[in-house]
Amino acid sequence: MRPSHMLRGLFLAAGLLLAPLIARAEDGHDLWLRYRPVEAGAAGVYRASAGTIAPVADTPALTVARAELERGLAGLLGERRDGGGEILLGTPRSSPRIATLNLPLEAAGAEGYRIRTLIEGGRSVTVIAANTDVGVLHGVYRYLALIQTRQPIDRLDLVDAPKVRYRLLNHWDNLDRSVERGYAGQSIWDWWRLPDVRDPRYVDYARANASIGINGAVLNNVNAKSDSLTAPYIAKAAALADTFRPYGIKVYLSARFSSPIEIGGLKTADPLDPAVRAFWKSKADEIYKAIPDFGGFLVKANSEGQPGPQDYGRTHADGANMLAQAVGPHGGIVMWRAFVYSHEQPDDRAKQGYSEFKPFDGQFAENVIVQVKNGAIDFQPREPFHPLFGAMPKTNLGMEFQITKEYLGFSTHLAYLGPMWEEVLKADTLAAGKGSTVAKVVDGKLHGYSRTLMAGVANIGTDRNWSGSQFDQANWYAFGRLAWDPEASSEAIARDWAAMAFSPDKRFVGPAVAMMMGSREAVVDYMTPMGLHHLMGRSHHYGPGPWVAGGERADWTSVYYHRADKAGIGFDRTAKGSNAVAQYAPPAAAGFSDLSTVDEKDLLWFHHLPWGYRTRSGRPLWDELVGRYSRGVKTVGGMQATWADLSPYVDAERHGEVAAYLAIQRREAQWWRDASIAYFQSINGLPLPKGEAPPPLSLEAYEAMQFPFAPGI
Ligand code: GCW
């Protein structure tokens, strides 16, 4: 044997011996698709039914479905699985065997699946069947998730289908690879090297999305550049579309409304001008030539300085319908954002979206979806549901959530957003009687919408762990699951994620999920308790800035929102104040207006109250606020302790990373508490409640802190 061979042999032998002892280093790159081996004790049972995979028809989606199944089973159960079971996947059209089974597949719809165990000649055959190839792929991911979360798979009979038709990520990614409000590195879209170079990450991105049912991606920032609609960029988008297609994911683009001027050589972008309409029609035709299944356009118009139809005295409906007419013949849609507010408008900013859109209910084309943020201001740690939900029965309304944590501590604070989204989706608009939940608006049941949409502003970037932190992956995951089923439980989703991303061991999942479920409320407590909102540092939104005042526009300041003075605090949105409550259905408005019925979590969103106002705890408002700030900090301390205890179940790399982030969060939670208290105390002159520590620094010291390099702008 040559010495080099001998050495290699030695290393191999040593490696084999040590392998079981050394947990594989992990960096989170595999997301929830880690497919690590099932414990020896349980693996046998799984191997008995998850055996060989029958051949599939040679279509792109079925090919990736089979490959994913093989990859997942090989990881979970090993390459050799000769327990006798067989897995059969396909559609009645692609598989004669499945066709003869005559499985009821109506409930699987166009993207769902049915999984059923049959016994054929004494051996188990697991059938993963669907009406479409991509439905089969979704079924494969569900099947793998059952094993990943250690559910039984030997007697399956389940059927599932998405309740929402368009389940989209919105990337606020710029063409120079910076990401607006991105905290996970640069954009994963390497626009410069596309279309020639197709980063393998694009495939993993598609796999991750398909595994949770996301079926579309808006590639570029809503603050859009017209360049995205030029031929070279269409070709780049087409390369991504080609990569995503087998996974059932379509590409969409944000369209800048003034493109006819910037790249079309026209003098106007007036939506009623025939030349402008012709521009958009031919632009759509050009895109569909390169991307036959192009999804459509997302538009931010007449908002925060973006161009729009109002520049020409036209309406949102005029603008949206023009684009809808251009993509309609190709099957495309237009998502028109309702996030609008204007500095010329002195009215409460919370009212402006409703005021601008409600009058046009029924005037939008059938293939337009008005995309509404969950709350009326802007992705705050807590907002009451947006008053447009329930108020536009004749207009398709879609939900826009923000997965990236612009206002919840960027990627260094652990905040699981599932409960926040669930809270909004479960909120009852009372628009058509009790049970008119936001979820039922969004899934179309309440008003019979022809098209339904859930969009999430992505938290994905070039960081190895994709989302900037390990736990922020859970927000991507939860968004997909809730888009599929807006009535799902965020806690059940957290359990699945924790089991797949870390460990299915109950001793891990229980405490980890408890920590996740309380994490968003902790952020609310230490940043903006009891209905306070928009108190973050100016423009970068990093850290506390309750003192922010002056500057370009009032509704970009904190004092506009908290309205604190010597006498009290809070934004009066009742009939005595801005009367924003009147935008809700009357019973909901009454509930918010009445101090005896409004939930204390929304108290200062709707009411301006004296510092001595008696809260439900019996404490005066000021004491209650201080108590909640402190409680938030304490909760983070508890999260640190929980995480420390979980080290036996987590690889050292990820455990260390999460611990380091929690230390940042603990420090910043304390900073939030201290700076907020210092500021409000300077306004009300009140003493701190007994036992509450005074802020260690002066208010001036907090105010003087500058963060010129905060990420995400
Ligand atoms: O919250 C604000 C953000 C902007 C964003 C805007 C929007 C894309 O601070 O960065 O712009 O919302 O949703 O359009």
Side-chain angles (χ1 to χ4, degrees), residues 172 180-181 221-223 300 303-304 337 339 373 378-379 400 402 406-407 541:
W172 286 357
E180 183 154 350
R181 310 307 176 182
N221 192 352
V222 289
N223 290 329
K300 171 176 179 177
S303 166
E304 301 187 325
R337 296 177 85 227
F339 177 70
K373 288 188 183 182
D378 194 12
F379 299 138
E400 179 177 316
Q402 192 181 43
E406 175 181 358
Y407 294 101
H541 300 153

Side-chain angles (χ1 to χ4, degrees), residues 46-56 65-66 68-74 76-77 81 83-90 95 97-98 101 114-118 120 123-129 136 139-141 143-144 147 153 156:
Y46 285 113
R47 272 190 210 115
S49 44
T52 51
I53 309 171
V56 296
R66 190 179 194 282
E68 190 73 25
L69 186 56
E70 185 52 52
R71 174 185 184 148
L73 293 179
L76 289 158
L77 305 174
R81 304 176 301 272
E86 187 189 17
I87 308 176
L88 175 62
L89 26 148
S95 156
R97 262 180 86 189
I98 289 184
L101 293 174
R114 179 177 281 280
I115 307 179
R116 184 179 278 183
T117 314
L118 307 170
E120 274 183 7
R123 83 192 193 128
S124 138
V125 180
T126 306
V127 187
I128 305 177
V136 176
V140 161
Y141 281 113
Y143 180 74
L144 288 169
I147 305 176
I153 57 163
L156 293 171

